[in-house]
Amino acid sequence: MNELPVDKGTRVKLHFALKFPDGEVIDSTFEKEPASLEIGDDNLPENFEAYLMGMKAGDKDSFQVPPEKAFGQHNPNNVQTFKRHEFSPDMVLEPGVMISFADARQSELPGVVSRVEGDEVEVDFNHPLAGRTLTFEVEIIDVEPVGPAH
């Protein structure tokens, strides 16, 4: 059994679950193949990686992650109002519909329609999990050093 602790420069095989405090599962690998990731490769947000640091193969833990360490607080400035005619006419616009916008750098920015009133469409660009405290459950299966890049 490998005693290497999780740190920068390691590849980690793990099961993880993200849940709301009431136990509702948002995402989980426990019923599937474990996830494999390199620390620092942005597969997991940095704040989540921080919880893994120092854990070893065989370790299991569960963390309460406050919004500022998860997906941020809900920011009212990230809610924007558009006019109905700015969207294509055949687009379904109702609360809960997710829309992808290209931002100035042409990367995708997902938003969720929060309100439609007359010609106004309100879109919330906050992360769907913003403002929520989450439970992050982890089981480390294996930790190995990352070899030099080929």
Side-chain angles (χ1 to χ4, degrees):
M1 194 73 165
N2 198 332
E3 284 296 297
L4 190 70
V6 175
D7 201 349
K8 292 253 187 287
T10 58
R11 186 188 304 281
V12 184
K13 199 174 190 184
L14 77 165
H15 274 304
F16 72 90
L18 214 46
K19 302 177 178 179
F20 289 124
D22 66 5
E24 186 191 337
V25 176
I26 302 159
D27 191 10
S28 171
T29 63
F30 282 96
E31 300 73 47
K32 308 188 283 245
E33 286 293 300
S36 186
L37 54 99
E38 235 170 82
I39 295 297
D41 70 357
D42 290 338
N43 251 324
L44 264 187
E46 203 178 320
N47 288 327
F48 286 101
E49 284 187 351
Y51 287 102
L52 305 178
M53 294 299 183
M55 292 179 77
K56 298 185 169 121
D59 285 356
K60 284 182 183 182
D61 214 334
S62 178
F63 308 98
Q64 288 293 329
V65 185
E68 53 277 10
K69 283 219 161 79
F71 296 99
Q73 292 292 358
H74 191 272
N75 181 349
N77 296 338
N78 291 345
V79 179
Q80 292 175 21
T81 305
F82 297 87
K83 295 278 180 234
R84 178 66 181 93
H85 64 256
E86 294 178 56
F87 298 96
S88 71
D90 55 358
M91 197 165 182
V92 176
L93 292 174
E94 55 191 34
V97 173
M98 186 174 259
I99 305 173
S100 235
F101 294 83
D103 67 12
R105 296 189 313 263
Q106 293 306 305
S107 53
E108 289 219 339
L109 190 62
V112 175
V113 176
S114 51
R115 190 175 61 88
V116 180
E117 217 166 277
D119 190 36
E120 294 202 333
V121 180
E122 195 177 78
V123 180
D124 188 343
F125 290 101
N126 285 289
H127 190 284
L129 300 174
R132 306 290 301 256
T133 293
L134 303 173
T135 301
F136 182 42
E137 278 180 22
V138 189
E139 179 182 351
I140 305 288
I141 296 166
D142 193 22
V143 183
E144 50 186 44
V146 175
H150 298 298

